[in-house]
Amino acid sequence: MATDTLDSAGPAKVPGPSGDKGAGRAPGALRLLRDNGALGALVILVVALSLLSGDFLTTQNLLNVGVQAAVTAILAFGVTFVIVSAGIDLSVGSVAALSATVLAWTATDAGLPVWLSVVLAVGTGIACGLVSGALVSYGRLPSFVATLAMLSVGRGLALVISQGSPIAFPESVSVLGDTVGGWLPVPVLVMAAMAVVTAVILNRTFSGRAMYAIGGNEEAARLSGIRVKRQKLVVYALSGGFAAVAGIVLASRLVSAQPQAAAGYELDAIAAVVIGGASLSGGVGKASGTLIGALILAVLRNGLNLLSVSAFWQQVVIGVVIALAVLQDTLRRRTA
Amino acid sequence: MKTPVTPDGRRAPAGGELLRMEGVRKVFPGTVALDRVDFDLRRGEVHVLLGENGAGKSTLIKMLSGAHRPDAGRILVDGEPVRIGSAQDAERLGIATIYQEFNLVPGLSVAENIFLGRQPRRFGLVDRRRMNADAAALLQRVGVDVDPRTPVAELGIARLQMVEIAKALSLDARVLIMDEPTAVLTTGEVDKLFRIVRRLREDGVGVVFITHHLEEIAALGDRVTVLRDGRSVAEVPAGTDQDELVRLMVGRSIEQQFPRERAGAGEPLLRVTGLTRRGHFDDVSFEVRAGEVVGLAGLVGAGRTEVARAVFGADPYDSGTVEVLGRRLPRHDVGAALDAGLGLVPEDRKGQGLVLDAPVHENLGLVTLRRATRAGLVDRAGQRRAAGLMAEQLRVRMAGPDQHVRTLSGGNQQKVVIGKWLLADARVLILDEPTRGIDVGAKVEIYQLVNRLTASGHAVLMISSDLPEVLGMSDRVLVMSQGRIAGELPHREATQDAVMALAVKETEGSRGH
């Protein structure tokens, strides 16, 4: 039986009253594969690409994959909160670009201290999320519509602030795009940290548990005393905040905030969440799944590049993989 | 597929047998829903199916509509054994079912709903003119005055039911199964429905009619089959005396079925004064004391659930007060209500009470989630332990606390809903239809649980449409009619007749329908 609904990210979840941690770590690898359909797909992909291309399984290339996955993964973690609570967030790409633009503009043009610019940038992401959340909770707009509007507004504001051209990113922030010790890329570290934060929020915090309850049955959650509207604000604010972090990481890599950056990334983020086993009808999803989903997309792009597959065909392959990954997960659940 | 509309039905010998079920048996995990049940239906008759909730009526009709297949026994249509494996099979055999929840698409017109999936076509396009004309003919046959182009969303419940009937006729149904069609209708609408059913009977249609209103049986029916605990216990003429029907249906005295034991009431825990929500309920006042079960009886639509939800804060109200343990609760605030010690077991267990695809322990811990949060983090191990103990106490039959509640039986699901409130230390429990759709054995367990709660000083407000249950369990019975409390009866004076008399009482200034 799949145990990953309200019960989530702890990949080594043990049925029985023995509890959450410790006891079930031993038969780990197998259980991990069984509970996480997407992980199997990732393993197969990595093995296949290692066989097909000698350049794939090198430390340098794998770190590259990590860097390529980082922005999508961080965006996708935020979207995971929304999807678990049975919503959708289409605005994360735009919000990422807007937040990065705010950072660059306040730090360079307005001359604010860099730490304050960072706070303002993250605050911008959270504010965008709060607006979407308020439209969903209090305005009763479908999340698709509310965040579609925010997608347009966010992108527009980024263009307005930057007057349409890239703004140089302050150097002290651009280290986020560098490496530690000359080899470990900072985006990978940020991605790992955000994964842990996401897992903790989903599994351990009141808001996280409330997300599963709301996504599973909103009315039952409400009648159990969960303040659904307030929790939805938290959900979209988190998504916005994560988008801001992703935007900053992306701009650091590019060493400039570009108002057109991260366009279309929201679809990659949603794909990563869904490949990771979350259900668009809510109540199901985990941080580890989303991370794997983002890695699958990055590995695929990287591998196809190494194999010199044309960019046009890459799109086709990625679409097929999304469908297959979710299909096998659905089948696995049905037989479980 | 083209299904011809026959305005007058096929002419077969009057009174000929349409349908027969012989020794039918159906087992669900944990329950025998039906066992050795015999049932038959003739042309041009109304055969009433009578029984308590959980007696097996819905299982029986689901076998005829193709939703369930019998584990033993056989079904014959026109004397030929048949296998009804799907809704399509039932349709082909001329069996149509009208459930309590209608199967209509709100955004489409009446005509489109009637011919859904079978719209008449011309050059590959839907022939609207013919569809509307055919629908109008059917609606006229049913005797309902509605434009076939009206969107279904604009119709009231009574007319929706008529549209369902017209749809059944368009399928050339010879057997029409109606599951408690009168439960949602006003008196005038019931009369109209009866006229339609009688007309269908004259046309030779066989009607299986389920109702809880005994007086309707003599008015409409020809024969009655009584189901009890999954067995067909009697087949009697519709003219049978009502007391006799109740005896057949319950099969034992009410005292035996409801192990009621009360120590006597203590201090008032819940006091509701002058509660009013315009258009829903008006000037509702009552109190519930520690150690007491107060029943809230009345017809469906009398406003009982609406009052319960307003008291609990799930819905707003316009005026009046709600006090728990002497403290006044803010309006429309579930959080405050549960902090004060109020709990609601909602009417729709699956839709409102449970997160179906979550494990048992998560559902049990839903209300206590906030209290188990320290510095933003939930004590999940503690939550899990507490849930495990509660599940054991309530004897929830499950494979383990990780089993998803969707796969539990109705009775065990209900125990989980009640359990989440007990974990939250709710002292006042509002149980809205707590035994709906639960088998007889599990019902008694719920009653015993209610007894244990009152013995330990809890107060219980119990809403139920199952009259014997309300009468058997309550210390006092409040009867609602048209949004008002029509009267209150102490346990000794609460009889079916006394409650029904109050339930159908027309109150002054009653709300329009």
Side-chain angles (χ1 to χ4, degrees):
Chain A
M1 184 179 57
T3 52
D4 50 353
T5 43
L6 269 190
D7 247 325
S8 56
K13 195 88 197 60
V14 192
S18 56
D20 286 331
K21 291 254 166 181
R25 295 277 170 193
L30 265 183
R31 183 181 297 276
L32 209 66
L33 271 179
R34 196 192 60 195
D35 287 354
N36 240 318
L39 187 58
L42 181 61
V43 169
I44 292 170
L45 214 59
V46 167
V47 170
L49 287 172
S50 308
L51 294 175
L52 288 171
S53 163
D55 299 327
F56 180 77
L57 206 62
T58 60
T59 312
Q60 190 50 49
N61 188 54
L62 290 183
L63 288 173
N64 255 337
V65 170
V67 173
Q68 285 166 0
V71 172
T72 309
I74 298 167
L75 287 173
F77 291 141
V79 174
T80 306
F81 301 125
V82 182
I83 288 181
V84 163
S85 55
I88 192 84
D89 192 344
L90 300 174
S91 69
V92 290
S94 296
V95 171
L98 175 61
S99 302
T101 306
V102 165
L103 196 161
W105 179 66
T106 53
T108 52
D109 291 16
L112 294 182
V114 169
W115 66 267
L116 186 58
S117 300
V118 172
V119 170
L120 283 174
V122 175
T124 301
I126 292 174
C128 290
L130 285 173
V131 171
S132 299
L135 287 172
V136 171
S137 291
Y138 299 99
R140 293 170 190 242
L141 285 188
S143 56
F144 190 98
V145 176
T147 60
L148 185 63
M150 184 53 72
L151 174 145
S152 184
V153 169
R155 185 67 63 191
L157 286 177
L159 286 163
V160 168
I161 292 172
S162 65
Q163 295 175 320
S165 26
I167 309 177
F169 223 50
E171 219 167 280
S172 50
V173 181
S174 287
V175 296
L176 283 175
D178 287 347
T179 55
V180 179
W183 64 278
L184 185 59
V186 179
V188 173
L189 284 177
V190 177
M191 172 173 74
M194 295 309 264
V196 172
V197 169
T198 305
V200 169
I201 290 175
L202 283 175
N203 287 305
R204 292 266 165 248
T205 66
F206 175 79
S207 289
R209 303 320 295 163
M211 289 171 203
Y212 288 98
I214 292 169
N217 187 341
E218 186 169 328
E219 184 65 6
R222 189 169 81 92
L223 292 180
S224 297
I226 292 169
R227 290 184 170 82
V228 171
K229 291 185 175 176
R230 199 179 300 173
Q231 287 306 324
K232 282 193 178 170
L233 284 185
V234 173
V235 165
Y236 288 90
L238 279 171
S239 180
F242 275 56
V245 172
I248 295 169
V249 170
L250 179 62
S252 305
R253 274 177 52 206
L254 305 173
V255 206
S256 72
Q258 301 178 1
Q260 294 289 17
Y265 277 33
E266 54 278 346
L267 298 183
D268 268 5
I270 293 168
V273 176
V274 171
I275 291 172
S279 160
L280 283 180
S281 51
V284 184
K286 17 185 178 177
S288 59
T290 296
L291 178 62
I292 291 165
L295 288 175
I296 286 180
L297 288 177
V299 164
L300 208 56
R301 288 217 170 92
N302 174 275
L304 293 173
N305 273 334
L306 290 180
L307 298 175
S308 315
V309 175
S310 89
F312 304 154
W313 277 108
Q314 287 187 22
Q315 302 235 28
V316 176
V317 173
I318 286 168
V320 170
V321 167
I322 291 174
L324 284 180
V326 180
L327 200 61
Q328 68 93 20
D329 199 45
T330 316
L331 292 175
R332 188 178 58 88
R333 270 168 220 275
R334 206 177 298 159
T335 52
Chain B
M1 184 183 70
K2 189 165 167 245
T3 310
V5 178
T6 51
D8 56 356
R10 268 175 239 143
R11 292 280 166 231
E17 182 181 284
L18 273 174
L19 180 95
R20 170 176 292 277
M21 301 173 92
E22 288 177 352
V24 166
R25 178 180 166 88
K26 180 75 195 174
V27 181
F28 292 116
T31 18
V32 179
L34 285 180
D35 192 21
R36 280 172 276 160
V37 168
D38 298 319
F39 180 82
D40 72 283
L41 182 70
R42 300 182 197 129
R43 283 180 53 80
E45 79 161 345
V46 176
H47 194 154
V48 177
L49 206 49
L50 188 64
E52 292 184 89
N53 290 335
K57 296 174 307 234
S58 32
T59 310
L60 190 146
I61 62 173
K62 281 182 179 162
M63 283 186 187
L64 295 177
S65 63
H68 292 328
R69 247 158 291 162
D71 296 325
R74 55 183 196 153
I75 301 174
L76 299 93
V77 172
D78 295 329
E80 298 287 320
V82 292
R83 197 175 147 282
I84 310 177
S86 66
Q88 287 72 30
D89 288 350
E91 192 179 305
R92 203 163 41 242
L93 290 164
I95 300 171
T97 308
I98 298 175
Y99 290 104
Q100 283 169 283
E101 287 98 33
F102 303 131
N103 290 312
L104 298 171
V105 185
L108 297 184
S109 74
V110 168
E112 284 170 300
N113 267 287
I114 291 175
F115 293 107
L116 199 61
R118 307 170 286 120
Q119 293 95 331
R121 259 159 263 189
R122 224 159 68 115
F123 313 123
L125 300 174
V126 172
D127 183 352
R128 281 190 176 268
R129 189 179 302 170
R130 204 179 113 211
M131 182 172 74
N132 287 335
D134 288 353
L138 283 163
L139 292 166
Q140 200 189 355
R141 185 176 160 207
V142 174
V144 55
D145 179 28
V146 55
D147 188 323
R149 288 165 300 185
T150 319
V152 155
E154 290 175 16
L155 302 183
I157 282 191
R159 288 183 163 203
L160 292 179
Q161 202 168 54
M162 308 299 172
V163 172
E164 283 272 19
I165 295 173
K167 186 175 171 182
L169 294 179
S170 79
L171 290 166
D172 203 17
R174 299 178 300 146
V175 174
L176 185 62
I177 303 168
M178 304 180 86
D179 188 4
E180 289 197 54
T182 59
V184 289
L185 302 182
T186 62
T187 318
E189 291 166 346
V190 168
D191 289 343
K192 193 156 183 206
L193 175 71
F194 280 14
R195 277 201 297 280
I196 293 167
V197 173
R198 287 192 191 104
R199 194 180 309 167
L200 294 176
R201 172 166 63 187
E202 278 160 29
D203 285 351
V205 175
V207 180
V208 179
F209 198 87
I210 295 182
T211 181
H212 280 303
H213 298 280
L214 297 178
E215 69 282 359
E216 291 173 6
I217 294 175
L220 185 70
D222 296 304
R223 281 191 294 162
V224 183
T225 288
V226 184
L227 290 182
R228 187 207 308 153
D229 301 349
R231 303 273 186 97
S232 43
V233 291
E235 194 220 285
V236 293
T240 307
D241 178 58
Q242 289 194 11
D243 290 341
E244 174 67 6
L245 289 175
V246 171
R247 196 191 62 75
L248 286 169
M249 197 163 66
V250 180
R252 62 201 153 223
S253 76
I254 284 169
E255 302 304 326
Q256 281 169 334
Q257 194 191 359
F258 303 102
R260 183 173 165 282
E261 34 190 80
R262 291 291 136 49
E267 47 165 349
L269 293 185
L270 170 66
R271 180 178 283 136
V272 173
T273 317
L275 207 65
T276 301
R277 184 181 185 193
R278 273 186 294 281
H280 296 272
F281 50 84
D282 192 15
D283 195 21
V284 171
S285 302
F286 62 86
E287 62 176 34
V288 189
R289 295 167 170 274
E292 189 181 43
V293 176
V294 174
L296 193 52
L299 301 177
V300 170
R304 298 167 303 167
T305 295
E306 289 81 351
V307 167
R309 286 176 59 90
V311 167
F312 182 65
D315 291 331
Y317 49 84
D318 297 315
S319 60
T321 59
V322 177
E323 287 168 69
V324 174
L325 291 154
R327 248 179 48 226
R328 189 168 163 186
L329 294 186
R331 205 175 66 99
H332 199 18
D333 186 343
V334 173
L338 64 92
D339 284 341
L342 206 54
L344 172 71
V345 173
E347 163 186 43
D348 179 0
R349 181 173 59 240
K350 293 181 182 175
Q352 302 176 338
L354 294 165
V355 184
L356 285 173
D357 289 313
V360 170
H361 74 94
E362 295 274 0
N363 272 283
L364 279 168
L366 218 47
V367 185
T368 46
L369 197 57
R370 185 177 297 281
R371 281 175 224 174
T373 306
R374 295 271 177 282
L377 298 182
V378 178
D379 172 18
R380 287 190 70 193
Q383 281 275 84
R384 208 187 151 86
R385 217 172 320 128
L389 286 174
M390 179 55 69
E392 206 172 294
Q393 247 181 52
L394 297 179
R395 282 177 232 125
V396 177
R397 272 178 289 278
M398 56 183 184
D402 284 303
Q403 187 175 351
H404 288 197
V405 291
R406 184 186 290 281
T407 58
L408 295 180
S409 73
N412 286 304
Q413 286 180 343
Q414 194 65 291
K415 287 187 210 167
V416 171
V417 183
I418 297 175
K420 82 177 172 187
W421 291 111
L422 298 183
L423 276 173
D425 287 325
R427 280 200 71 194
V428 183
L429 281 172
I430 304 174
L431 310 179
D432 194 352
E433 303 283 1
T435 63
R436 176 180 281 174
I438 289 179
D439 69 68
V440 180
K443 272 186 186 179
V444 175
E445 276 189 85
I446 301 279
Y447 301 145
Q448 282 162 347
L449 176 58
V450 169
N451 283 334
R452 289 216 302 277
L453 292 176
T454 49
S456 62
H458 288 75
V460 174
L461 178 67
M462 184 161 99
I463 299 175
S464 174
S465 298
D466 185 342
L467 259 186
E469 173 179 294
V470 178
L471 300 181
M473 290 302 295
S474 308
D475 296 289
R476 291 182 287 132
V477 179
L478 302 165
V479 186
M480 279 193 77
S481 168
Q482 295 179 316
R484 287 168 172 269
I485 302 270
E488 179 183 328
L489 300 163
H491 179 71
R492 268 174 296 107
E493 295 168 25
T495 61
Q496 294 224 5
D497 290 346
V499 170
M500 282 314 291
L502 285 171
V504 299
K505 193 165 97 174
E506 296 282 331
T507 45
E508 50 185 309
S510 63
R511 71 207 167 103
H513 211 83

PDB file of all heavy atoms in Angstrom, chain B residues 1-2 115-128 130-131 134:
ATOM      1  N   MET B   1     -26.667   4.375 -30.740  1.00  0.00           N
ATOM      2  CA  MET B   1     -27.820   3.492 -30.541  1.00  0.00           C
ATOM      3  C   MET B   1     -29.095   4.315 -30.535  1.00  0.00           C
ATOM      4  O   MET B   1     -29.170   5.362 -29.912  1.00  0.00           O
ATOM      5  CB  MET B   1     -27.673   2.777 -29.192  1.00  0.00           C
ATOM      6  CG  MET B   1     -28.770   1.779 -28.964  1.00  0.00           C
ATOM      7  SD  MET B   1     -28.607   1.000 -27.322  1.00  0.00           S
ATOM      8  CE  MET B   1     -29.029   2.348 -26.272  1.00  0.00           C
ATOM      9  N   LYS B   2     -30.074   3.813 -31.232  1.00  0.00           N
ATOM     10  CA  LYS B   2     -31.335   4.551 -31.286  1.00  0.00           C
ATOM     11  C   LYS B   2     -32.341   3.861 -30.387  1.00  0.00           C
ATOM     12  O   LYS B   2     -32.579   2.661 -30.482  1.00  0.00           O
ATOM     13  CB  LYS B   2     -31.834   4.571 -32.731  1.00  0.00           C
ATOM     14  CG  LYS B   2     -32.998   5.498 -32.902  1.00  0.00           C
ATOM     15  CD  LYS B   2     -33.236   5.786 -34.366  1.00  0.00           C
ATOM     16  CE  LYS B   2     -34.585   6.453 -34.535  1.00  0.00           C
ATOM     17  NZ  LYS B   2     -35.510   5.669 -35.277  1.00  0.00           N
ATOM     18  N   PHE B 115     -31.733  13.148 -23.172  1.00  0.00           N
ATOM     19  CA  PHE B 115     -31.152  12.361 -24.272  1.00  0.00           C
ATOM     20  C   PHE B 115     -29.627  12.326 -24.245  1.00  0.00           C
ATOM     21  O   PHE B 115     -28.989  12.099 -25.273  1.00  0.00           O
ATOM     22  CB  PHE B 115     -31.638  12.911 -25.618  1.00  0.00           C
ATOM     23  CG  PHE B 115     -33.110  12.715 -25.829  1.00  0.00           C
ATOM     24  CD1 PHE B 115     -33.970  13.786 -25.745  1.00  0.00           C
ATOM     25  CD2 PHE B 115     -33.620  11.447 -26.082  1.00  0.00           C
ATOM     26  CE1 PHE B 115     -35.330  13.605 -25.927  1.00  0.00           C
ATOM     27  CE2 PHE B 115     -34.976  11.264 -26.262  1.00  0.00           C
ATOM     28  CZ  PHE B 115     -35.837  12.346 -26.178  1.00  0.00           C
ATOM     29  N   LEU B 116     -29.060  12.563 -23.075  1.00  0.00           N
ATOM     30  CA  LEU B 116     -27.602  12.634 -22.968  1.00  0.00           C
ATOM     31  C   LEU B 116     -26.941  11.385 -23.543  1.00  0.00           C
ATOM     32  O   LEU B 116     -27.256  10.273 -23.166  1.00  0.00           O
ATOM     33  CB  LEU B 116     -27.205  12.805 -21.498  1.00  0.00           C
ATOM     34  CG  LEU B 116     -25.804  13.343 -21.255  1.00  0.00           C
ATOM     35  CD1 LEU B 116     -25.665  14.724 -21.878  1.00  0.00           C
ATOM     36  CD2 LEU B 116     -25.513  13.435 -19.765  1.00  0.00           C
ATOM     37  N   GLY B 117     -26.022  11.593 -24.481  1.00  0.00           N
ATOM     38  CA  GLY B 117     -25.328  10.475 -25.112  1.00  0.00           C
ATOM     39  C   GLY B 117     -26.143   9.815 -26.206  1.00  0.00           C
ATOM     40  O   GLY B 117     -25.649   8.948 -26.916  1.00  0.00           O
ATOM     41  N   ARG B 118     -27.421  10.189 -26.348  1.00  0.00           N
ATOM     42  CA  ARG B 118     -28.266   9.569 -27.374  1.00  0.00           C
ATOM     43  C   ARG B 118     -29.017  10.656 -28.146  1.00  0.00           C
ATOM     44  O   ARG B 118     -30.131  10.442 -28.631  1.00  0.00           O
ATOM     45  CB  ARG B 118     -29.289   8.634 -26.722  1.00  0.00           C
ATOM     46  CG  ARG B 118     -28.684   7.616 -25.787  1.00  0.00           C
ATOM     47  CD  ARG B 118     -29.768   6.895 -25.009  1.00  0.00           C
ATOM     48  NE  ARG B 118     -30.310   7.787 -23.970  1.00  0.00           N
ATOM     49  CZ  ARG B 118     -31.573   8.173 -23.887  1.00  0.00           C
ATOM     50  NH1 ARG B 118     -32.453   7.749 -24.756  1.00  0.00           N
ATOM     51  NH2 ARG B 118     -31.970   8.976 -22.925  1.00  0.00           N
ATOM     52  N   GLN B 119     -28.441  11.861 -28.199  1.00  0.00           N
ATOM     53  CA  GLN B 119     -29.134  12.966 -28.861  1.00  0.00           C
ATOM     54  C   GLN B 119     -29.458  12.591 -30.303  1.00  0.00           C
ATOM     55  O   GLN B 119     -28.607  12.025 -30.999  1.00  0.00           O
ATOM     56  CB  GLN B 119     -28.252  14.237 -28.859  1.00  0.00           C
ATOM     57  CG  GLN B 119     -28.010  14.834 -27.496  1.00  0.00           C
ATOM     58  CD  GLN B 119     -26.719  14.376 -26.869  1.00  0.00           C
ATOM     59  OE1 GLN B 119     -26.257  13.271 -27.140  1.00  0.00           O
ATOM     60  NE2 GLN B 119     -26.125  15.208 -26.035  1.00  0.00           N
ATOM     61  N   PRO B 120     -30.675  12.875 -30.744  1.00  0.00           N
ATOM     62  CA  PRO B 120     -31.005  12.604 -32.149  1.00  0.00           C
ATOM     63  C   PRO B 120     -30.102  13.434 -33.058  1.00  0.00           C
ATOM     64  O   PRO B 120     -29.820  14.599 -32.760  1.00  0.00           O
ATOM     65  CB  PRO B 120     -32.467  13.038 -32.265  1.00  0.00           C
ATOM     66  CG  PRO B 120     -32.728  13.909 -31.093  1.00  0.00           C
ATOM     67  CD  PRO B 120     -31.783  13.493 -30.014  1.00  0.00           C
ATOM     68  N   ARG B 121     -29.628  12.824 -34.138  1.00  0.00           N
ATOM     69  CA  ARG B 121     -28.653  13.522 -34.987  1.00  0.00           C
ATOM     70  C   ARG B 121     -29.148  13.648 -36.415  1.00  0.00           C
ATOM     71  O   ARG B 121     -29.922  12.828 -36.897  1.00  0.00           O
ATOM     72  CB  ARG B 121     -27.330  12.769 -34.962  1.00  0.00           C
ATOM     73  CG  ARG B 121     -26.343  13.436 -34.044  1.00  0.00           C
ATOM     74  CD  ARG B 121     -25.280  12.478 -33.621  1.00  0.00           C
ATOM     75  NE  ARG B 121     -25.630  11.928 -32.312  1.00  0.00           N
ATOM     76  CZ  ARG B 121     -24.804  11.196 -31.597  1.00  0.00           C
ATOM     77  NH1 ARG B 121     -23.629  10.902 -32.047  1.00  0.00           N
ATOM     78  NH2 ARG B 121     -25.175  10.761 -30.410  1.00  0.00           N
ATOM     79  N   ARG B 122     -28.711  14.681 -37.066  1.00  0.00           N
ATOM     80  CA  ARG B 122     -29.014  14.889 -38.483  1.00  0.00           C
ATOM     81  C   ARG B 122     -27.737  15.376 -39.136  1.00  0.00           C
ATOM     82  O   ARG B 122     -27.150  16.349 -38.651  1.00  0.00           O
ATOM     83  CB  ARG B 122     -30.097  15.963 -38.631  1.00  0.00           C
ATOM     84  CG  ARG B 122     -31.175  15.591 -39.652  1.00  0.00           C
ATOM     85  CD  ARG B 122     -32.409  16.403 -39.381  1.00  0.00           C
ATOM     86  NE  ARG B 122     -32.141  17.818 -39.681  1.00  0.00           N
ATOM     87  CZ  ARG B 122     -32.756  18.479 -40.649  1.00  0.00           C
ATOM     88  NH1 ARG B 122     -33.637  17.881 -41.396  1.00  0.00           N
ATOM     89  NH2 ARG B 122     -32.490  19.750 -40.851  1.00  0.00           N
ATOM     90  N   PHE B 123     -27.291  14.719 -40.168  1.00  0.00           N
ATOM     91  CA  PHE B 123     -26.008  15.044 -40.824  1.00  0.00           C
ATOM     92  C   PHE B 123     -24.879  15.132 -39.804  1.00  0.00           C
ATOM     93  O   PHE B 123     -24.038  16.023 -39.847  1.00  0.00           O
ATOM     94  CB  PHE B 123     -26.101  16.369 -41.583  1.00  0.00           C
ATOM     95  CG  PHE B 123     -27.312  16.483 -42.437  1.00  0.00           C
ATOM     96  CD1 PHE B 123     -28.199  17.535 -42.260  1.00  0.00           C
ATOM     97  CD2 PHE B 123     -27.580  15.517 -43.402  1.00  0.00           C
ATOM     98  CE1 PHE B 123     -29.330  17.631 -43.042  1.00  0.00           C
ATOM     99  CE2 PHE B 123     -28.705  15.617 -44.188  1.00  0.00           C
ATOM    100  CZ  PHE B 123     -29.587  16.671 -44.021  1.00  0.00           C
ATOM    101  N   GLY B 124     -24.913  14.273 -38.780  1.00  0.00           N
ATOM    102  CA  GLY B 124     -23.832  14.265 -37.805  1.00  0.00           C
ATOM    103  C   GLY B 124     -23.939  15.327 -36.728  1.00  0.00           C
ATOM    104  O   GLY B 124     -23.162  15.328 -35.787  1.00  0.00           O
ATOM    105  N   LEU B 125     -24.876  16.238 -36.865  1.00  0.00           N
ATOM    106  CA  LEU B 125     -25.029  17.271 -35.841  1.00  0.00           C
ATOM    107  C   LEU B 125     -26.265  16.977 -35.012  1.00  0.00           C
ATOM    108  O   LEU B 125     -27.201  16.332 -35.482  1.00  0.00           O
ATOM    109  CB  LEU B 125     -25.176  18.650 -36.502  1.00  0.00           C
ATOM    110  CG  LEU B 125     -24.002  19.084 -37.375  1.00  0.00           C
ATOM    111  CD1 LEU B 125     -24.338  20.384 -38.088  1.00  0.00           C
ATOM    112  CD2 LEU B 125     -22.743  19.232 -36.538  1.00  0.00           C
ATOM    113  N   VAL B 126     -26.265  17.476 -33.787  1.00  0.00           N
ATOM    114  CA  VAL B 126     -27.420  17.246 -32.920  1.00  0.00           C
ATOM    115  C   VAL B 126     -28.633  17.971 -33.504  1.00  0.00           C
ATOM    116  O   VAL B 126     -28.568  19.150 -33.834  1.00  0.00           O
ATOM    117  CB  VAL B 126     -27.124  17.757 -31.495  1.00  0.00           C
ATOM    118  CG1 VAL B 126     -28.396  17.705 -30.663  1.00  0.00           C
ATOM    119  CG2 VAL B 126     -26.022  16.930 -30.862  1.00  0.00           C
ATOM    120  N   ASP B 127     -29.702  17.221 -33.651  1.00  0.00           N
ATOM    121  CA  ASP B 127     -30.930  17.781 -34.206  1.00  0.00           C
ATOM    122  C   ASP B 127     -31.745  18.351 -33.049  1.00  0.00           C
ATOM    123  O   ASP B 127     -32.573  17.681 -32.451  1.00  0.00           O
ATOM    124  CB  ASP B 127     -31.702  16.670 -34.928  1.00  0.00           C
ATOM    125  CG  ASP B 127     -32.966  17.211 -35.582  1.00  0.00           C
ATOM    126  OD1 ASP B 127     -33.306  18.385 -35.350  1.00  0.00           O
ATOM    127  OD2 ASP B 127     -33.608  16.438 -36.309  1.00  0.00           O
ATOM    128  N   ARG B 128     -31.478  19.619 -32.733  1.00  0.00           N
ATOM    129  CA  ARG B 128     -32.080  20.225 -31.544  1.00  0.00           C
ATOM    130  C   ARG B 128     -33.597  20.273 -31.620  1.00  0.00           C
ATOM    131  O   ARG B 128     -34.281  20.068 -30.627  1.00  0.00           O
ATOM    132  CB  ARG B 128     -31.549  21.642 -31.342  1.00  0.00           C
ATOM    133  CG  ARG B 128     -30.182  21.630 -30.726  1.00  0.00           C
ATOM    134  CD  ARG B 128     -29.748  23.011 -30.312  1.00  0.00           C
ATOM    135  NE  ARG B 128     -28.464  22.883 -29.651  1.00  0.00           N
ATOM    136  CZ  ARG B 128     -28.333  22.736 -28.341  1.00  0.00           C
ATOM    137  NH1 ARG B 128     -29.386  22.762 -27.568  1.00  0.00           N
ATOM    138  NH2 ARG B 128     -27.145  22.593 -27.791  1.00  0.00           N
ATOM    139  N   ARG B 130     -35.715  18.302 -33.135  1.00  0.00           N
ATOM    140  CA  ARG B 130     -36.357  17.031 -32.840  1.00  0.00           C
ATOM    141  C   ARG B 130     -36.162  16.632 -31.377  1.00  0.00           C
ATOM    142  O   ARG B 130     -37.060  16.112 -30.723  1.00  0.00           O
ATOM    143  CB  ARG B 130     -35.786  15.945 -33.754  1.00  0.00           C
ATOM    144  CG  ARG B 130     -36.790  14.801 -33.912  1.00  0.00           C
ATOM    145  CD  ARG B 130     -36.272  13.733 -34.835  1.00  0.00           C
ATOM    146  NE  ARG B 130     -36.041  12.523 -34.086  1.00  0.00           N
ATOM    147  CZ  ARG B 130     -35.105  11.645 -34.381  1.00  0.00           C
ATOM    148  NH1 ARG B 130     -34.293  11.876 -35.379  1.00  0.00           N
ATOM    149  NH2 ARG B 130     -34.965  10.569 -33.672  1.00  0.00           N
ATOM    150  N   MET B 131     -34.944  16.914 -30.860  1.00  0.00           N
ATOM    151  CA  MET B 131     -34.651  16.556 -29.470  1.00  0.00           C
ATOM    152  C   MET B 131     -35.618  17.276 -28.538  1.00  0.00           C
ATOM    153  O   MET B 131     -36.189  16.684 -27.627  1.00  0.00           O
ATOM    154  CB  MET B 131     -33.206  16.948 -29.143  1.00  0.00           C
ATOM    155  CG  MET B 131     -32.766  16.586 -27.759  1.00  0.00           C
ATOM    156  SD  MET B 131     -30.997  16.862 -27.537  1.00  0.00           S
ATOM    157  CE  MET B 131     -30.957  18.642 -27.438  1.00  0.00           C
ATOM    158  N   ASP B 134     -39.160  15.776 -28.913  1.00  0.00           N
ATOM    159  CA  ASP B 134     -39.275  14.480 -28.239  1.00  0.00           C
ATOM    160  C   ASP B 134     -39.317  14.653 -26.729  1.00  0.00           C
ATOM    161  O   ASP B 134     -40.086  13.993 -26.030  1.00  0.00           O
ATOM    162  CB  ASP B 134     -38.084  13.584 -28.610  1.00  0.00           C
ATOM    163  CG  ASP B 134     -38.174  13.091 -30.045  1.00  0.00           C
ATOM    164  OD1 ASP B 134     -39.220  13.349 -30.680  1.00  0.00           O
ATOM    165  OD2 ASP B 134     -37.207  12.468 -30.522  1.00  0.00           O
TER     166      ASP B 134
END
